Amino acid sequence: MLFEAAGEGLALGASLPAMREAVERHLRTGGGVLFRGFSLDDADAFRAFAADFGHPLLTYEFGSTPRSQVTSGVYTSTEYPPHQHIPLHNEQAYTRDWPMKIWFYCMQAAPEGGETPIADSRAVFAAMPEAIRRRFIDKGLMYVRNFGNGLDVPWQQVFGTKDRAEVEAYCAKHAIACEWKEDGELRTRQVCQGAARHPVTGEWVWFNQAHLFHVSNLEPEVRESLLDIVEDEADLPRNVLYGDGTPIDDAALDAVRGVLERHRISFPWQAGDVMMLDNMLTAHGRAPFKGPRKVIVAMAEAQSAQ
């Protein structure tokens, strides 16, 4: 749904009260809205706009990708090299705690590429092969992460502390199994949902990041190189298994990627655009790009697995 400014210079934040009911309605039915043509001065104005929806902005806890904080509650989008494609995913669906709302503010559109494609997670769930869908629901998913060693984001950065006791307390609170390896690095395992019901609409949505975490997401030469470095797949920076610890075959993940790709839609960013998504109803990604690009992100309304 597009909300477009009626006139030049109309401030986005000042326009929210008149739009709020329609925004929330379209968010639940369509999964997202795009605000275009409004005046939005900077990251602080973006933060204020997102916060005006009534929930404190969330910090990027237990993150899986490199980001930088721009201002309180606002972060850069994932800092992967411009040539890399970021597959469709729902934010933090690899955990048992995630934001219900996510906003993207395009401060500078790339001259080529750099779109933020989206997909309807309800349609993805419905289109998923029944056998795959049933295994993901019945078994759940176990995400395995090995931090540090220059292969993934350091645990000190992910947990925001150098204190092992604080890490252990966080893991215990969030049902994450953790162990300190002989080299002093950290391994975590967490069993999470493969799909979920939306807490408001009651609809089933495809809600996981198995296709990102699974070793099959790596280019073959990268996969082989990593396996030459680590002793076995259990020591890979990240991987995912079924919740009972059995492996997920590559073909199942290829099928998942195919369904996601068939439901992918995108639009070209314009500077000043703000896209707001219901994070459970709509997946997002990033297209490769050339030239400068600046898109920042805010998240709110914490939700936990039932």
Side-chain angles (χ1 to χ4, degrees), residues 159-182:
F159 291 94
T161 181
K162 296 180 180 180
D163 188 332
R164 289 189 178 192
E166 289 185 21
V167 172
E168 292 165 4
Y170 179 94
C171 290
K173 180 180 178 181
H174 295 274
I176 302 170
C178 67
E179 61 177 297
W180 299 102
K181 299 189 291 185
E182 291 183 0

Side-chain angles (χ1 to χ4, degrees), residues 9-305:
L10 191 62
L12 181 56
S15 305
L16 179 58
M19 299 188 294
R20 186 189 301 275
E21 183 178 347
V23 168
E24 294 287 1
R25 182 173 65 253
H26 286 293
L27 202 64
R28 293 292 177 257
T29 56
V33 296
L34 177 67
F35 303 93
R36 174 165 284 175
F38 293 92
S39 173
L40 194 64
D41 294 334
D42 53 25
D44 287 327
F46 170 61
R47 178 191 62 195
F49 172 71
D52 277 347
F53 280 87
H55 295 274
L57 300 187
L58 301 175
T59 57
Y60 187 52
E61 291 187 349
F62 200 50
S64 66
T65 58
R67 297 175 186 250
S68 301
Q69 186 171 14
V70 178
T71 186
S72 177
V74 177
Y75 298 84
T76 59
S77 53
T78 298
E79 296 173 347
Y80 280 169
H83 71 276
Q84 288 189 2
H85 164 74
I86 299 178
L88 289 162
H89 62 284
N90 304 83
E91 193 66 33
Q92 293 189 294
Y94 59 87
T95 73
R96 298 177 58 83
D97 304 276
W98 58 83
M100 287 297 296
K101 290 186 173 72
I102 184 167
W103 295 261
F104 302 83
Y105 171 32
C106 179
M107 303 185 76
Q108 184 176 13
E112 182 178 340
E115 299 89 353
T116 300
I118 56 176
D120 186 328
S121 298
R122 295 162 292 191
V124 170
F125 176 86
M128 201 62 62
E130 174 62 24
I132 294 175
R133 188 169 58 206
R134 181 47 52 196
R135 285 197 298 270
F136 273 54
I137 292 173
D138 291 347
K139 292 190 173 187
L141 299 168
M142 180 189 293
Y143 295 92
V144 182
R145 301 179 66 179
N146 288 280
F147 299 89
N149 295 321
L151 299 176
D152 202 357
V153 183
W155 62 264
Q156 294 91 339
Q157 179 179 336
V158 169
F159 291 94
T161 181
K162 296 180 180 180
D163 188 332
R164 289 189 178 192
E166 289 185 21
V167 172
E168 292 165 4
Y170 179 94
C171 290
K173 180 180 178 181
H174 295 274
I176 302 170
C178 67
E179 61 177 297
W180 299 102
K181 299 189 291 185
E182 291 183 0
D183 60 2
E185 294 297 347
L186 176 68
R187 175 184 291 145
T188 63
R189 295 182 177 88
Q190 186 179 34
V191 176
C192 303
Q193 65 291 320
R197 283 190 182 273
H198 192 280
V200 176
T201 71
E203 297 165 290
W204 276 103
V205 296
W206 191 251
F207 198 72
N208 62 77
Q209 289 193 20
H211 60 298
L212 274 76
F213 273 72
H214 195 260
V215 66
S216 64
N217 189 47
L218 300 172
E219 294 294 331
E221 60 273 16
V222 175
R223 179 176 179 172
E224 291 177 11
S225 296
L226 278 176
L227 288 172
D228 285 339
I229 297 172
V230 301
E231 293 183 2
D232 56 44
E233 289 193 359
D235 293 315
L236 287 167
R238 61 183 67 177
N239 200 4
V240 62
L241 310 166
Y242 287 119
D244 60 6
T246 56
I248 307 173
D249 62 280
D250 292 6
L253 274 301
D254 288 340
V256 169
R257 296 182 186 104
V259 174
L260 284 164
E261 185 60 26
R262 289 194 294 274
H263 287 81
R264 175 184 182 274
I265 62 173
S266 65
F267 64 91
W269 280 116
Q270 294 182 16
D273 282 353
V274 173
M275 180 169 66
M276 179 181 180
L277 300 179
D278 181 303
N279 182 46
M280 289 190 73
L281 297 182
T282 306
H284 65 275
R286 191 201 71 186
F289 63 94
K290 294 181 180 179
R293 176 187 187 269
K294 187 171 185 180
V295 176
I296 59 176
V297 179
M299 300 171 285
E301 196 174 344
Q303 176 71 26
S304 296

